[in-house]
Amino acid sequence: MAALSNKSDQEIKDLLDEYGIKHGPVVDTTRPLYEKKLKEAMAKAKVTVTKPSPDRTFYREDQEEVTYVTCQTPVRSEGPSGDGKPYMRSRPEYSERDRVDDKPYSRPEYSERNRVDDKPYSRSKLEYRERDRVDDKPYSRSKPEYRERDRVDDKLYSRSRPEYSSGRQYIDEPHVYNTPSSSSSYSKPTPVMKSGGVVKKENTTSSGRLIPLWIQFLVFLIVAGFLYFIFTNMESAESSPFNKIQ
Amino acid sequence: MSTTSQKHRDFVGEPMGDKPVTALSGIGEVLGNKLEEQGFDRAFVVLGQYLLLRKDGELFTEWLKDTSGANTRNATSCSQCLREWCDSFL
């Protein structure tokens, strides 16, 4: 780019128009100002060109991960993003269950998981409880387990069967306690916890509440009950304050 | 009263005639000297520059800061002073 000071007045004017800078006539006294403005505009234009790409790659990564879930044949060689991929890839047979298996963490439908989620449930029984509070740990812990299953799937699957039947009661309990709304509420903490971009399978179509909905309702009921309790136990005012003392 | 200074009100209240550049609001002795070095020895010359910049307050403020080293407050004050003068007399 030729030095701005070498350009003619007309050229400066054209450049100002090009950058959309409001200006008056280019004269001796106004020229330095316009040259300065042009320099700023050029520097700014150069910066904005290079900026969007990092954002875009980040977004693209998310997209890649999302589409990969539905892919049937896992390709181990691919794997630019981190943890989530091996997790999904390690279960070729569960291709159809990929979506459903992901849901142990989100848990929208327990019935489907009867067949499918033996492993996550039997293995991560304890982790399930913990998952209420800390989703990262069980997730990372169960991941290597899932990876094992890739190689020794049949054994694990058959092995988990008796576990499942024995542990069924255990598993049923928490689920009975959990209403469908609460099960969906579990999906909410997980995307918040695993915000590392690994868990994209969950459709966080919910509004992404920090505090699950059932907790909000519970708190509301507690406060309402408390106020009611206070109200009913208030002493009623005496009908006539001027009772004769006898 | 508005936030304008006495100097501002004095300048805006009448045609500027041949008033020196230091009569402008926001332009004191130091800034006045700097402007005079550049050739802006009268208020109407500065007015001329303001008009050349199409009476754009932002452009004028920027120009004044570059030319005389004024700070934002003084430059904005001068710009507003000229704008109001133009509203009344131009």
Side-chain angles (χ1 to χ4, degrees), chain B residues 4 11 16 25 46 50 59 68 70 73 87:
Chain B
T4 55
F11 189 85
M16 65 174 80
S25 170
V46 179
Y50 179 71
L59 268 180
S68 68
R73 188 165 49 91
D87 288 344

Side-chain angles (χ1 to χ4, degrees), chain A residues 68-69 71-74 76 84-105 116-117 119-120 123 139 142-143 145-151 153 156-157 201:
Chain A
Y68 201 84
V69 173
C71 176
Q72 287 239 342
T73 54
R76 233 198 176 125
K85 287 242 171 110
Y87 168 65
M88 288 182 292
R89 263 186 273 133
S90 65
R91 280 167 297 142
E93 286 107 43
Y94 312 164
S95 54
E96 72 225 3
R97 289 188 305 188
D98 261 344
R99 287 186 304 279
V100 183
D101 253 339
D102 299 335
K103 285 173 191 168
Y105 301 104
V116 172
D117 292 344
K119 260 151 291 170
R123 192 134 344 126
Y139 181 69
S142 52
K143 248 193 316 174
E145 294 171 355
Y146 289 137
R147 256 187 244 188
E148 286 171 12
R149 279 187 296 177
D150 187 25
R151 296 183 274 281
D153 269 333
L156 298 177
Y157 190 85
K201 49 253 180 109

Side-chain angles (χ1 to χ4, degrees), chain A residues 33-52:
Chain A
L33 176 70
Y34 292 144
E35 281 178 14
K36 183 184 122 189
K37 284 197 104 57
L38 277 175
K39 227 173 11 170
E40 286 170 10
M42 285 181 197
K44 203 171 147 207
K46 209 160 55 135
V47 168
T48 51
V49 164
T50 58
K51 211 181 168 204

